[in-house]
Amino acid sequence: LVTVVDPEGYVYARVGNNEMRLPNVSVTLYRLIQATNKYEMWPGQEFSQENPQQTDIRGSYSFLVPVGKYYLTASTKGYLAYQGEPFIVQEGSGIHVNIELKSQFGWFKNVDWKTALLIIVTILLIINFIKDKKRKI
């Protein structure tokens, strides 16, 4: 059995041009089973590891994995679930997969409550104006 080290990956979200590391994200590793040609959750307990893992306060996770074909998933509250592309671990090569999660709220996460209130009031005024015009006709 040959084991290689994942020199640690991390999970983050973009905030403007910066990365914000995300703690407590569930990261799960799946491996391709050659006999069935299907992916199954990698049995980390057989290698004295947890799978899935929770990212630490720095958003980091780490797996020690044997040679094979794998992919990662990541999920946490407030973000869209992530499923990565398959990758191959070869003897002597490490893996460094950094995962970007996207907010569930999209552009709305950048709107503060004052701006949201202003948008709602503006929409209500427009609706009221349109109804008033229809009554006069």
Side-chain angles (χ1 to χ4, degrees), residues 1-5 31 42 47 49 63-68 70 89-95:
L1 178 68
V2 175
T3 303
V4 294
V5 177
R31 71 173 176 180
W42 178 66
F47 299 87
Q49 298 175 62
F63 290 105
L64 299 172
V65 298
V67 172
Y70 299 88
V89 174
Q90 297 177 348
E91 184 176 343
S93 69
I95 306 164

Side-chain angles (χ1 to χ4, degrees), residues 16-79:
N17 291 328
N18 299 317
E19 294 180 356
M20 177 180 70
R21 301 281 184 101
L22 299 174
N24 300 317
V25 176
S26 178
V27 178
T28 307
L29 181 67
Y30 292 87
R31 71 173 176 180
L32 179 66
I33 306 301
Q34 295 291 337
T36 62
N37 202 32
K38 295 187 181 199
Y39 285 90
E40 293 180 2
M41 191 180 340
W42 178 66
Q45 69 281 4
E46 292 177 15
F47 299 87
S48 301
Q49 298 175 62
E50 292 183 19
N51 187 27
Q53 293 182 9
Q54 294 295 117
T55 57
D56 64 15
I57 195 161
R58 297 173 300 131
S60 298
Y61 68 92
S62 178
F63 290 105
L64 299 172
V65 298
V67 172
K69 191 170 185 179
Y70 299 88
Y71 76 85
L72 291 163
T73 64
S75 63
T76 193
K77 184 177 177 184
Y79 293 88

